[in-house]
Every structure is written in C-alpha cells, then in structure tokens.
Amino acid sequence: MKLSTKGRYAVMAMVDLASHSQGSPVALADIAERQEISLSYLEQLFGKLRKGGLVKSVRGPGGGYLLARTPVQLRISDIILAVDEPIQTTRCSPGSPAGCHHHKGRCLTHDLWEELGNQIYLYLSSVSLSDVCERRILGSSGMFHGNSGSVAAQ
C-alpha cells in the first residue's frame, strides 16, 4: 500500500498550518514555500479540506487559512479522507462483495490486505494533528528498515 502525494501533502500542509498559525491566518503561498509543494496543488487540497470542515478561509489582506478545530481534535485519518484519499490496500472496490479476479472472486490474501487497511485506518484515527506537531509519534519503526526481510528477536 502506498499513500499518494495527495494524502501526504495534505498532512504536511496541515502540520505546517498548525505549527505556524498562532491564531492568525496562514497564507498558502507560505506553506507552499516551506513545504516545497506547488501552490496550485495546495489550493486544490485546501478547497477539499475546507469543504470537509477541517480549515476555514479568511479573505482580504492578511488572509489565509486557519484550522477549523484544535490540533488535538483533528485526526490524521480525517485529513486523508477529506482530500479523497482512500485508505485501501486491496485492488477490489471498497464495500463491494466482488473481488479483484476476472471472475469477480477474491484473491487468496484478500482478508489479509483488507485487515491491513483497517489497521492503518485505526492507527491514523488514533493520531492527532497535535501528536505530529509535537513529535509524539513512536519513532521505533526504523528498526524494521534495512533488515533483510526479517525482524530480529528482542
């Protein structure tokens, strides 16, 4: 499973907004520059985030965007889903009884990958924007990278 740039950029931009807002609107151009994301792409993402009720726009001089809720109340899963990024680990259509095989059957590992998607959603639902901003994310996942496909017994 790979999260597309849409979901990753939306989370990056929301973390930036939460970190730089201090109660006043933040211009998308500033977020775009700091995060090295195209301004036009951010405008599309923030349109979806606004429709999803996650940000508020402020017009006029000194305008920009504010979080619609506190960082503690915003979940990473909310951000990803607001920009139409499905958390999906199977090739099947979500909610469909039909599988991904040509005869509409499910593959042998369907339940495994579907449960992985559920676990990813549960994890992202457990992490707040505040957790990311304040670096309260468990940082031990590096122990799984660089090993030759196995996790050493501890």
Side-chain angles (χ1 to χ4, degrees):
M1 188 227 134
K2 186 173 183 179
L3 190 61
S4 78
T5 55
K6 192 180 347 181
R8 287 195 343 265
Y9 284 1
V11 172
M12 287 169 55
M14 289 290 281
V15 169
D16 186 288
L17 176 60
S19 299
H20 290 91
S21 161
Q22 310 303 322
S24 53
V26 176
L28 284 186
D30 294 339
I31 296 173
E33 184 178 328
R34 283 189 296 264
Q35 299 306 317
E36 300 178 0
I37 302 171
S38 155
L39 178 58
S40 62
Y41 196 62
L42 269 185
E43 288 169 344
Q44 294 172 30
L45 291 177
F46 270 73
K48 291 180 180 193
L49 292 167
R50 189 178 48 75
K51 286 179 187 169
L54 302 184
V55 297
K56 297 182 286 190
S57 62
V58 177
R59 295 185 183 272
Y65 283 87
L66 293 166
L67 296 177
R69 294 182 255 161
T70 67
V72 172
Q73 296 170 316
L74 287 167
R75 300 285 155 193
I76 300 304
S77 59
D78 296 336
I79 298 167
I80 292 171
L81 295 175
V83 295
D84 301 326
E85 179 69 24
I87 300 170
Q88 186 178 354
T89 53
T90 63
R91 294 185 296 174
C92 308
S93 298
S96 171
C100 56
H101 283 193
H102 69 283
H103 56 72
K104 300 299 179 198
R106 291 184 170 187
C107 65
L108 295 174
T109 56
H110 176 87
D111 293 339
L112 171 70
W113 304 126
E114 186 169 56
E115 184 57 24
L116 174 62
N118 292 339
Q119 292 300 317
I120 291 169
Y121 176 76
L122 288 172
Y123 173 69
L124 294 175
S125 295
S126 76
V127 177
S128 72
L129 188 59
S130 176
D131 292 333
V132 178
C133 291
E134 296 177 23
R135 300 185 184 272
R136 289 190 301 250
I137 305 301
L138 182 63
S140 64
S141 61
M143 65 186 243
F144 296 109
H145 299 290
N147 293 342
S148 58
S150 64
V151 177
Q154 305 218 1

